[in-house]
């Protein structure tokens, strides 16, 4: 028999040791440099888990590629900040700075990506503004535009982004649960022609008002592209306020006609990139997979989902339909006519900060 | 007084003979329930710097923020309480007669009827919600039926409304109300009812003076099993509320998963957990030991 006091002390010591142990990262056996093995973990939007590429790459290299989907760009930051381990992430260009400033990324060693030379020079030039601290933090992986996506079988496209506020659209459109995408697009709708990531208090207030009105008329705020596709196909909704046409290709294969258009106020373009988190456990796997993503075959697979190829060798091999969706012949005009938004300020100042954006979006979603 | 009790507890000899029985479960609860809660509790008093990193300085700011004027979280707590009460009341109104009917008229097929109540909960939670979406959606089975029989001229909006969230919570948690009540009713000694008949009690009197008081444990046991999960749920509001109906659980998930704000998310968790513990305490106080027995 022992006294309870001793037992309680022993228990407390045990708890303390367990807690300390749990907070220590144990060294895990890592593969030798250059040797591919194990699992390559990606985090990003649906659509960047190319079924053909992942299957073939996994089979030929004896690795498994897993994908964690995000519902918003903020999730990549939240997960990496919380210490989650991924080998590749695919943030929007506007989110790269936040990841760099928080020391969550490692610079890209382009010599480890033989296909890097395939990147279109104009795409590389467009991405230069996101090379912070004189280093390359991301490899462009896809670009495109945000359309008003709609069921072409049931409705015609809208002329203005504001048309969704008309009575006939009430309860018939959906929005995506992504602060960055929704706020920047709303900024375009109120007539902002400069970088919509830089919103002064007055503009920010106008965006808030518009988004709250839009939210009130929205059928739902969806968390995934799959959910959006299912709602547009089933008739639960007819339109989608601002998204890329990723779901159109899949819907087409299933026999449904989903298409997109750009209302008169214009739209935004995106240039997503592959970044490598600082704590990536499978660095060789990450570089090998990024290299594979820049291959001609994968870029064609990407174009089939209505996103723009970032390499110069893939576009000429596309079908006429896919080639016509992106103006590959006049990319400079594409990048000048539309807006590639930059980073949202992180520190308080002249413009609304990232925290303000996230809080605004939370307010929009919670408003009745 | 309290110090005396603590001293008495600590100086008493520890009987280790019970360790093989209660030891493993105690360690489990300590490691996977109490320690994570302790970590959450500590984090809830920390702050964040401009980069979003946790700052190890004690602060009550998170709690102040939760209940500041116009706080959406405070509103969501009230909404959660309202939804959980509605769910609980509906589960009781539907579940009690159901359990009563099974006990009284189930006869030889009682096990089969009970199985029918339990079977839906064997399937995945999310699958059941998606099945419900097919029923109540704009182009869903219910709307198609109503349109076909001419009862409505255009589809009624059920899905992605607060009503859909409450409906989903009732649908998911109903079996957990039926089972404890069934166990309570099944345990009532029939001779008590027979004696009351002999003494001239009417059916209503029999129910109000014998059946209902003796099934109190089942009612409060069922309340623990339905109110609490409904109170903290965030999947049902997300999928059936279209991300427009935010409950307290939605905020916690949002702050942990999307915003990565662990201190604020933790303070919300601490508040929600405290409210749940208080609710359990009230149920046990009102339902007695039977309430615990019926949920075990």
């Amino acid at each position: 028999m022992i006294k309870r006091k001793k037992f309680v002390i022993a228990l407390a010591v045990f708890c303390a040791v367990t807690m300390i142990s749990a907070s220590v990262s144990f060294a895990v056996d890592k593969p030798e440099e250059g040797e591919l093995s194990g699992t390559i973990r990606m985090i990003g939007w649906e659509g960047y888990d190319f079924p053909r590429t992942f299957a073939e790459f996994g089979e030929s290299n004896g690795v498994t590629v897993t994908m964690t989907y995000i519902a918003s760009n903020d999730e990549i930051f939240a997960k990496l900040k919380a210490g989650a381990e991924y080998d590749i992430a695919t943030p929007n260009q506007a989110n790269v700075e936040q990841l760099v400033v928080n020391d969550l990324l490692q610079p890209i060693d382009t010599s480890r990506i033989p296909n890097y030379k395939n990147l279109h020079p104009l795409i590389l030039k467009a991405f230069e503004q996101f090379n912070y601290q004189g280093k390359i933090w991301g490899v462009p992986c896809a670009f495109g535009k945000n359309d008003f996506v709609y069921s072409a079988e049931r409705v015609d496209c809208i002329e203005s982004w504001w048309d969704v506020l008309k009575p006939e659209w009430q309860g018939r459109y959906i929005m995506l649960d992504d602060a960055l995408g929704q706020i920047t697009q709303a900024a375009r709708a109120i007539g902002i022609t400069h970088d919509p990531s830089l919103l002064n208090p007055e503009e920010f207030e106008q965006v808030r008002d518009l988004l709250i009105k839009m939210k009130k008329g929205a059928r739902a705020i969806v968390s995934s592209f799959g959910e959006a596709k299912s709602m547009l196909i089933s008739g639960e909704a007819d339109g989608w306020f601002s998204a890329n046409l990723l779901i159109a290709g899949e819907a087409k294969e299933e026999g449904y006609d989903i298409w997109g258009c750009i209302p008169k106020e214009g739209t935004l373009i995106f240039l997503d990139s592959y970044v490598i988190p600082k704590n990536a456990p499978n660095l060789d796997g990450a570089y090998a997979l990024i290299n594979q993503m820049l291959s001609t075959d994968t870029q064609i697979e990407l174009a089939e989902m209505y996103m723009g190829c970032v390499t110069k060798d893939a576009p000429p091999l596309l079908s006429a339909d896919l080639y016509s969706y992106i103006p590959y012949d006049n990319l400079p005009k594409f990048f000048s006519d539309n807006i590639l938004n930059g980073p949202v300020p992180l520190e308080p100042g002249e413009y609304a900060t990232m925290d303000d954006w996230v809080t605004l979006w939370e307010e929009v979603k919670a408003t009745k | 007084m309290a110090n005396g009790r603590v001293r008495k507890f600590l100086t008493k000899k520890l009987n280790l003979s019970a360790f093989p029985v209660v030891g493993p479960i105690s360690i489990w609860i300590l490691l996977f329930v109490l320690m994570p809660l302790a970590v959450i509790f500590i984090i809830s008093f920390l702050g964040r710097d401009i980069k979003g990193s946790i700052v190890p300085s004690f602060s009550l700011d998170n709690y102040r923020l939760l209940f500041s004027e116009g706080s959406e979280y405070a509103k969501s707590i009230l909404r959660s309480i309202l939804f959980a009460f509605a769910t609980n009341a509906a589960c009781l109104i539907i579940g009690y007669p159901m359990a009563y009917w099974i006990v009284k008229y189930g006869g030889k097929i009682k096990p089969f009827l009970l199985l029918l109540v339990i079977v839906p909960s064997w399937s995945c939670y999310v699958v059941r919600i998606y099945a419900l979406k097919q029923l109540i959606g704009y182009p869903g089975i219910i709307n198609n039926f109503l349109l076909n029989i001419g009862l409505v001229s255009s589809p009624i909006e059920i899905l992605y409304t607060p009503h859909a969230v409450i409906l989903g919570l009732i649908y998911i948690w109903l079996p957990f109300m039926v089972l404890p009540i069934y166990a309570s009713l099944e345990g009532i000694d029939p001779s008590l009812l027979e004696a009351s008949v002999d003494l001239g009690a009417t059916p209503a009197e029999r129910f109000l003076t014998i059946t209902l008081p003796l099934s109190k444990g089942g009612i409060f046991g069922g309340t623990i099993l339905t109110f609490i999960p409904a109170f903290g749920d965030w999947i049902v509001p997300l999928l059936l509320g279209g991300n427009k109906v935010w409950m307290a659980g939605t905020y916690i998930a949002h702050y942990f998963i999307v915003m990565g704000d662990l201190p604020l998310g933790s303070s919300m968790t601490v508040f929600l957990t405290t409210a749940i513990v208080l609710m359990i305490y009230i149920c046990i106080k009102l339902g007695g030991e039977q309430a615990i027995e019926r949920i075990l």
Side-chain angles (χ1 to χ4, degrees):
Chain A
M1 299 283 254
I2 59 169
K3 283 190 178 170
R4 280 184 180 170
K5 189 176 179 182
K6 285 182 183 169
F7 179 74
V8 169
I9 291 169
L11 203 59
V13 171
F14 171 76
C15 288
V17 170
T18 312
M19 285 181 84
I20 291 164
S21 308
S23 65
V24 173
S25 300
F26 289 98
V28 181
D29 288 341
K30 290 192 174 177
E32 294 291 317
E33 193 173 326
E35 177 191 323
L36 290 191
S37 65
T39 301
I40 302 169
R41 284 177 285 187
M42 270 183 78
I43 179 168
W45 291 100
E46 283 169 90
Y48 289 138
D49 51 338
F50 311 102
R52 281 204 308 265
T53 298
F54 278 25
E56 285 169 17
F57 180 82
E59 204 172 311
S60 58
N61 291 289
V63 294
T64 309
V65 184
T66 62
M67 182 81 178
T68 300
Y69 293 134
I70 54 169
S72 71
N73 279 295
D74 314 311
E75 271 186 53
I76 293 178
F77 171 71
K79 287 199 163 73
L80 294 182
K81 188 80 184 170
E85 290 187 336
Y86 293 98
D87 300 302
I88 302 174
T90 61
N92 179 276
Q93 75 280 346
N95 289 81
V96 174
E97 187 193 31
Q98 187 186 27
L99 297 171
V100 173
V101 168
N102 279 275
D103 202 22
L104 296 171
L105 300 184
Q106 52 180 293
I108 299 286
D109 178 358
T110 55
S111 68
R112 297 187 69 179
I113 309 170
N115 284 336
Y116 193 83
K117 65 179 186 314
N118 293 348
L119 282 165
H120 197 293
L122 280 169
I123 298 287
L124 275 177
K125 189 169 176 355
F127 198 73
E128 264 175 15
Q129 57 182 307
F130 306 105
N131 293 341
Y132 305 101
Q133 302 164 4
K135 293 173 187 163
I136 296 171
W137 299 98
V139 180
C141 61
F143 72 101
K145 55 192 170 73
N146 287 339
D147 292 289
F148 178 78
V149 181
Y150 63 99
S151 165
E153 288 156 359
R154 293 193 297 276
V155 292
D156 293 324
C157 194
I158 53 175
E159 284 180 15
S160 159
W161 289 110
W162 291 78
D163 285 353
V164 294
L165 299 179
K166 289 180 175 172
E168 62 266 31
W169 274 101
Q170 292 308 288
R172 301 305 304 146
Y173 62 94
I174 53 177
M175 299 168 83
L176 184 66
D177 187 6
D178 175 35
L180 183 75
Q182 303 303 290
I183 293 173
T184 46
Q185 196 62 68
R188 285 293 274 158
I190 64 164
I192 300 257
T193 49
H194 59 75
D195 182 348
S197 291
L198 303 174
L199 296 174
N200 64 38
E202 194 188 332
E203 293 164 341
F204 197 64
E205 208 51 42
Q206 288 176 37
V207 166
R208 171 191 273 118
D209 290 346
L210 176 59
L211 282 174
I212 286 175
K213 280 181 195 155
M214 282 188 169
K215 185 262 175 169
K216 286 180 177 169
R219 184 89 178 105
I221 298 172
V222 297
S223 302
S224 71
F225 279 61
E227 192 183 357
K229 187 186 81 179
S230 145
M231 289 181 75
L232 290 175
I233 284 177
S234 70
E236 196 70 62
D238 293 329
W240 185 5
F241 173 74
S242 184
N244 66 48
L245 263 185
L246 177 72
I247 60 170
E250 289 174 25
K252 200 174 182 180
E253 282 175 21
E254 294 170 29
Y256 297 96
D257 190 4
I258 288 177
W259 200 239
C261 68
I262 298 178
K264 65 181 181 191
E265 293 88 354
T267 192
L268 294 161
I269 51 178
F270 61 86
L271 180 50
D272 290 350
S273 58
Y274 300 120
V275 298
I276 302 181
K278 194 158 196 176
N279 61 349
N282 194 346
L283 195 55
D284 295 312
Y287 275 113
L289 189 58
I290 290 174
N291 188 53
Q292 177 63 38
M293 305 283 207
L294 298 182
S295 70
T296 312
D297 286 349
T298 311
Q299 287 293 305
I300 291 173
E301 199 178 349
L302 179 124
E304 286 166 359
M305 291 186 279
Y306 296 103
M307 284 191 278
C309 302
V310 291
T311 58
K312 49 186 186 284
D313 52 353
L317 303 173
L318 299 178
S319 66
D321 170 41
L322 293 175
Y323 192 82
S324 64
Y325 179 65
I326 298 278
Y328 290 106
D329 293 328
N330 203 352
L331 282 180
K333 188 172 181 328
F334 179 75
F335 279 101
S336 63
D337 285 356
N338 301 292
I339 299 176
L340 186 66
N341 55 304
V344 179
L346 301 176
E347 311 229 357
E350 195 182 341
Y351 304 111
T353 63
M354 183 69 92
D355 269 356
D356 297 330
W357 283 49
V358 176
T359 307
L360 165 63
W361 184 238
E362 185 190 313
E363 183 192 335
V364 168
K365 285 200 291 179
T367 301
K368 277 203 158 188
Chain B
M1 186 81 172
N3 281 343
R5 275 209 294 270
V6 171
R7 199 176 301 118
K8 198 175 165 189
F9 173 82
L10 290 173
T11 50
K12 211 171 171 184
K13 298 261 176 161
L14 188 71
N15 183 1
L16 287 178
S17 61
F19 187 78
V21 181
V22 296
I25 188 68
S26 304
I27 291 172
W28 178 274
I29 289 172
L30 184 76
L31 285 180
F32 299 112
V33 180
L34 297 179
M35 276 176 55
L37 279 176
V39 171
I40 292 277
F41 184 73
I42 293 165
I43 292 177
S44 74
F45 291 101
L46 305 179
R48 278 171 93 215
D49 63 15
I50 201 159
K51 289 181 180 176
S53 302
I54 294 176
V55 182
S57 62
F58 179 84
S59 158
L60 287 172
D61 287 353
N62 296 322
Y63 289 93
R64 275 195 209 104
L65 204 61
L66 290 191
F67 300 103
S68 57
E69 202 183 329
S71 158
E72 288 294 336
Y73 177 72
K75 287 180 198 163
S76 78
I77 285 275
L78 293 176
R79 196 176 302 124
S80 298
I81 291 172
L82 185 71
F83 282 18
F85 265 120
T87 304
N88 193 238
C91 284
L92 187 60
I93 291 166
I94 302 166
Y96 198 99
M98 204 189 264
Y100 188 83
W101 191 86
I102 295 173
V103 171
K104 199 165 166 73
Y105 304 108
K108 288 181 182 172
I109 58 163
K110 265 187 209 171
F112 174 70
L113 293 173
L114 268 185
L115 195 69
L116 289 184
V117 174
I118 300 166
V119 162
S121 54
W122 288 354
S123 61
C124 171
Y125 177 89
V126 176
V127 170
R128 274 181 286 153
I129 297 173
Y130 272 97
L132 191 61
K133 281 178 97 168
Q134 302 305 313
L135 279 177
I136 62 174
Y138 209 69
I141 294 166
I142 291 175
N143 267 324
N144 273 330
F145 174 73
L146 294 174
L147 285 169
N148 285 336
I149 62 168
L151 206 63
V152 293
S153 55
S154 59
I156 49 172
E157 207 169 293
I158 312 171
L159 188 59
Y160 305 128
T161 65
H163 303 109
V165 175
I166 295 173
L167 184 67
L169 291 170
I170 296 168
Y171 171 60
I172 297 288
W173 301 112
L174 180 61
F176 297 90
M177 179 61 91
V178 175
L179 294 177
I181 295 175
Y182 171 85
S184 285
L185 293 172
E186 187 73 343
I188 295 175
D189 184 354
S191 63
L192 291 171
L193 294 166
E194 285 161 15
S196 70
V197 172
D198 293 344
L199 292 168
T202 63
E205 283 170 337
R206 285 203 302 274
F207 177 75
L208 290 173
T209 56
I210 299 174
T211 311
L212 192 61
L214 290 177
S215 58
K216 196 175 68 173
I219 293 171
F220 285 105
T223 299
I224 292 175
L225 292 179
T226 54
F227 185 93
I228 289 161
F231 186 45
D233 204 326
W234 67 280
I235 300 284
V236 171
L238 178 72
L239 296 179
L240 297 180
N243 218 341
K244 298 190 296 177
V245 183
W246 279 42
M247 289 175 67
T250 319
Y251 271 95
I252 294 174
H254 176 74
Y255 275 91
F256 275 105
I257 299 170
V258 179
M259 294 187 75
D261 189 341
L262 269 57
L264 195 53
S266 297
S267 62
M268 291 173 175
T269 309
V270 168
F271 183 80
L272 195 69
T273 310
T274 310
I276 286 172
V277 169
L278 189 68
M279 188 65 203
I280 294 175
Y281 177 76
I282 293 169
C283 284
I284 292 171
K285 271 279 174 197
L286 295 175
E289 278 181 19
Q290 260 198 38
I292 304 277
E293 282 168 17
R294 297 302 169 215
I295 60 175
L296 294 176

